[in-house]
Amino acid sequence: MLTTRFVDGAPCWIDVTTPDPEGAASFYRALFGWTYRSTGPEGGGYGFLERAGRIVAGCAPLTGAPLTGAQGPAAWTVYFRASDADAAADAVRKARGSVPAPPVSVGEQGRSALLADQMGAAFGVWQPGEREGLESVGEAGGLCWAELYTPDIARAAAFYHAVLGWETSAVTFPGGVYTTVSSRGTAEEGAFGGMVPLADDPVEAEENRPHWLPYIGAEDPDAVAARAAELGGRVRMPPTSIPGVGRLARLEDPHGARFAVLRGDPRET
């Protein structure tokens, strides 16, 4: 599970790149109670989304930002902890991935890079300096899971093992078999995400490209989904219960950034 006791390879940051940071902040404030704190011009327009005074995500203008350097459609990016961002970027190149934004220092906070796997799924790495990562994860209103949709599970597993040291496990549940991922040496107890065959999921296949999807914890996914629609977002997959997993919904904000919400409950039917 995700905790703020971050280890190498585990998710430690997420941010949304958007053409309208203030508008996005308003949407997520109404949805999750997040507040927005801009770093101002000196921070390149980057801002922090906070819940109860703790950072749960970042927010970057679409034209680029210190942490991402990204340009393109509105999107959420998942970052994984790396003890050496430059070494991670080199490992990505050796594994035949790509480095859209090479490692860059963010003041004394840390060092970041935006990368992509062999099949084009974008992700980031964060080498901590003064900032370890997010201040709240694994609870309502914070990042609780990350999922990769890919055309080739075996190939993706080999790539991320080479780059980040991940280990994978096959978990059987009533709907089939699910591939979980965890940091090296943490076994299944350290699972923080999973991999899903892109072609097997009609909701994610509509995007027609490999991608990462962050899950935000929610006490009431049904209410969050209804509120997202009221606020101009889109419900890509309505609230659904999965035995042994919980209740989840997949959403899209008004600018097109995709994410999901989850109330984990093994008793859910």
Side-chain angles (χ1 to χ4, degrees):
M1 63 178 291
L2 278 174
T3 75
T4 52
R5 296 188 300 275
F6 300 116
V7 297
D8 282 358
C12 64
W13 194 265
I14 53 172
D15 62 22
V16 60
T17 306
T18 177
D20 180 7
E22 292 288 349
S26 178
F27 173 83
Y28 291 107
R29 181 185 305 114
L31 206 61
F32 298 123
W34 293 352
T35 57
Y36 177 62
R37 176 165 58 91
S38 175
T39 60
E42 64 276 11
Y46 199 85
F48 300 114
L49 295 165
E50 302 176 337
R51 186 172 189 268
R54 295 182 294 172
I55 297 173
V56 293
C59 184
L62 190 57
T63 52
L67 290 186
T68 65
Q71 295 187 24
W76 279 95
T77 300
V78 181
Y79 294 77
F80 303 96
R81 180 184 169 119
S83 58
D84 188 330
D86 295 83
D90 287 341
V92 164
R93 295 185 185 99
K94 291 177 182 176
R96 302 178 65 184
S98 61
V99 182
V104 62
S105 292
V106 186
E108 299 299 319
Q109 299 296 299
R111 194 161 173 79
S112 175
L114 185 66
L115 313 170
D117 65 25
Q118 290 177 328
M119 290 160 281
F123 66 99
V125 292
W126 176 250
Q127 175 187 328
E130 293 180 353
R131 182 172 300 284
E132 287 290 327
L134 299 174
E135 296 172 348
S136 176
V137 299
E139 57 188 19
L143 178 69
C144 65
W145 195 252
E147 213 158 52
L148 173 67
Y149 293 86
T150 177
D152 190 330
I153 295 288
R155 188 178 171 193
F159 173 88
Y160 288 101
H161 177 75
V163 173
L164 295 170
W166 289 358
E167 298 171 350
T168 58
S169 299
V171 178
T172 302
F173 68 102
V177 177
Y178 183 76
T179 301
T180 63
V181 294
S182 56
S183 298
R184 180 186 286 117
T186 61
E188 291 184 27
E189 291 75 17
F192 55 74
M195 297 182 181
V196 179
L198 186 60
D200 291 354
D201 192 303
V203 176
E204 299 306 321
E206 72 176 21
E207 190 167 333
N208 197 33
R209 64 178 178 84
H211 60 281
W212 280 95
L213 186 72
Y215 280 71
I216 307 300
E219 295 177 353
D220 189 343
D222 295 72
V224 173
R227 184 61 172 146
E230 292 173 359
L231 294 167
R234 183 166 73 97
V235 179
R236 301 174 56 238
M237 186 184 84
T240 303
S241 292
I242 300 178
V245 175
R247 191 161 179 82
L248 59 90
R250 297 183 201 155
L251 311 171
E252 181 177 289
D253 73 18
H255 303 292
R258 295 174 173 180
F259 63 101
V261 292
L262 170 68
R263 182 187 68 218
D265 185 351
R267 299 166 298 177
E268 195 69 67
T269 58

